[in-house]
């Protein structure tokens, strides 16, 4: 099973979250996973919000050569107790963990590079600029991810929040610490 971890980060965030970045590299080396970092500067006229959307679009080039792509935010630290990601992958196509809001959090997503996974990425990207509606609001692309997963539950699986922990009370047991909150 060939897996690519995909992360996008501006230079200032790369410096701010250097500890997290180093944890990504160490984890990927430990489990023979490829790490892909998109840290290309924004183009003239783009706002910081572009980083939210780039984390999804940056996975598409890897759909040909990998079985799974993993979206991981730069502000996520992978702890030493994190098992091999392969241990939670089954026949589903999209794996997500709920954040502190009890809704899917797009900071960590496992996406199978099949038709379902590709449709997910493409439809969320196509929804950019549209309102997500009541109950789906969240910063950046996350509201669109929440809405998509709500209306398209086929081949999706909620995984333990330990894989994208945003709860300070679970810091000692978490696999991934997401410093979003």
């Amino acid at each position: 099973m060939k897996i690519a971890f995909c992360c996008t980060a501006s230079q200032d965030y790369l410096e701010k979250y250097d500890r997290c970045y180093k944890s990504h590299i160490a984890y990927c080396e430990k489990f023979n996973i490829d790490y892909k970092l998109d840290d290309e500067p924004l183009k003239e006229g783009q706002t910081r919000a572009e980083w939210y959307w780039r984390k999804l679009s940056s996975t598409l080039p890897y759909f040909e050569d990998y079985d799974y792509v993993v979206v991981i935010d730069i502000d996520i630290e992978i702890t030493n107790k994190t098992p091999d990601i392969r241990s939670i992958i089954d026949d589903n196509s999209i794996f997500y963990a709920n954040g502190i809001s009890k809704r899917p959090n797009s900071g960590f997503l496992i996406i199978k590079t099949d038709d379902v996974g590709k449709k997910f990425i493409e439809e969320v990207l196509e929804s950019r600029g549209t309102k997500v509606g009541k109950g789906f609001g969240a910063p950046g692309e996350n509201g669109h991810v929440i809405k998509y997963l709500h209306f398209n539950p086929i081949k999706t699986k909620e995984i333990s929040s330990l894989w994208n922990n945003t709860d300070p009370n679970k810091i000692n047991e978490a696999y991934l610490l997401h410093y979003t909150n």
Side-chain angles (χ1 to χ4, degrees), residues 8 51-59 71 73 106-107 141:
T8 57
W51 290 109
Y52 296 123
W53 295 94
R54 264 175 63 176
K55 72 180 179 185
L56 297 175
S57 63
S58 70
T59 65
V71 173
D73 282 358
S106 65
E141 84 306 337

Side-chain angles (χ1 to χ4, degrees), residues 14 58 97 129 131 142:
L14 230 111
S58 70
K131 295 191 186 279
N142 201 65

Side-chain angles (χ1 to χ4, degrees), residues 4 31 40 43 48 59 103 114 116 124 136 148 153 156 162 174:
F31 291 109
E40 290 294 317
K43 295 178 181 158
R48 290 196 64 81
T59 65
R103 301 179 305 165
D114 62 3
V116 174
V124 170
F136 300 108
Y148 181 92
T156 65
L162 297 178

Side-chain angles (χ1 to χ4, degrees), residues 5 14 28 65 70 84 105 114 123 143 155 163-164 176:
F5 268 49
L14 230 111
C28 288
D65 297 324
V70 176
D84 187 339
N105 182 283
D114 62 3
E123 287 194 15
K155 297 201 70 151
W163 282 95
N164 190 1
L176 278 65

Side-chain angles (χ1 to χ4, degrees), residues 7-27 35 37 39 72-78 177 179:
C7 183
T8 57
S10 60
Q11 285 301 312
D12 59 328
Y13 268 56
L14 230 111
E15 291 171 19
K16 180 178 181 180
Y17 293 105
D18 183 62
R19 181 180 73 229
C20 297
Y21 171 66
K22 287 177 180 171
S23 76
H24 297 184
I25 299 298
Y27 178 84
Y35 189 76
L37 175 66
D39 62 348
I72 186 164
D73 282 358
I74 195 63
D75 63 345
I76 291 179
E77 182 177 4
I78 304 175
L177 301 172
Y179 296 112

Side-chain angles (χ1 to χ4, degrees), residues 30 32 43 71 125 134 141 154 158 180:
K30 180 179 179 180
N32 194 29
K43 295 178 181 158
V71 173
L125 289 171
K134 189 174 181 175
E141 84 306 337
I154 297 167
E158 179 184 341
T180 187

